[in-house]
Amino acid sequence: MATLGVALLLVRGISEFGFDAILSNVVKQLYKQGETKETIKQKIEGYHVAKSLRFKLVGMLDSLPEEETASQALAVA
């Protein structure tokens, strides 16, 4: 029953926002949480999606401004 509920939420999200938008937000959130662009790119390459979507996600990631995360600030200090 729980699996059916989760599947329903996923289908609603995909139909409302689109798969591209959901994956773009996932990539942005990973970056905000301190993941490096390189590790996120490795994850994107592991996604089972079309090459064109992977290319779009990498392009979007490359366009994000460089942010100083807490772990980067500690490494500099």
Side-chain angles (χ1 to χ4, degrees):
M1 207 57 158
T3 304
L4 183 59
V6 171
L8 179 63
L9 289 174
L10 286 172
V11 168
R12 281 187 183 168
I14 290 171
S15 66
E16 186 174 336
F17 301 108
F19 198 61
D20 295 5
I22 292 172
L23 280 179
S24 293
N25 285 326
V26 167
V27 168
K28 288 177 187 175
Q29 191 62 34
L30 287 171
Y31 188 62
K32 284 182 183 179
Q33 291 177 348
E35 296 244 6
T36 65
K37 287 184 177 184
E38 197 56 42
T39 59
I40 297 172
K41 286 178 185 178
Q42 290 172 354
K43 288 181 181 185
I44 291 170
E45 290 302 318
Y47 293 167
H48 295 287
V49 296
K51 260 187 183 177
S52 59
L53 180 55
R54 280 193 296 249
F55 184 73
K56 179 181 174 183
L57 291 172
V58 170
M60 184 268 310
L61 179 63
D62 287 338
S63 70
L64 291 175
E66 293 293 329
E67 292 183 3
E68 186 172 298
T69 62
S71 60
Q72 291 170 336
L74 289 175
V76 172

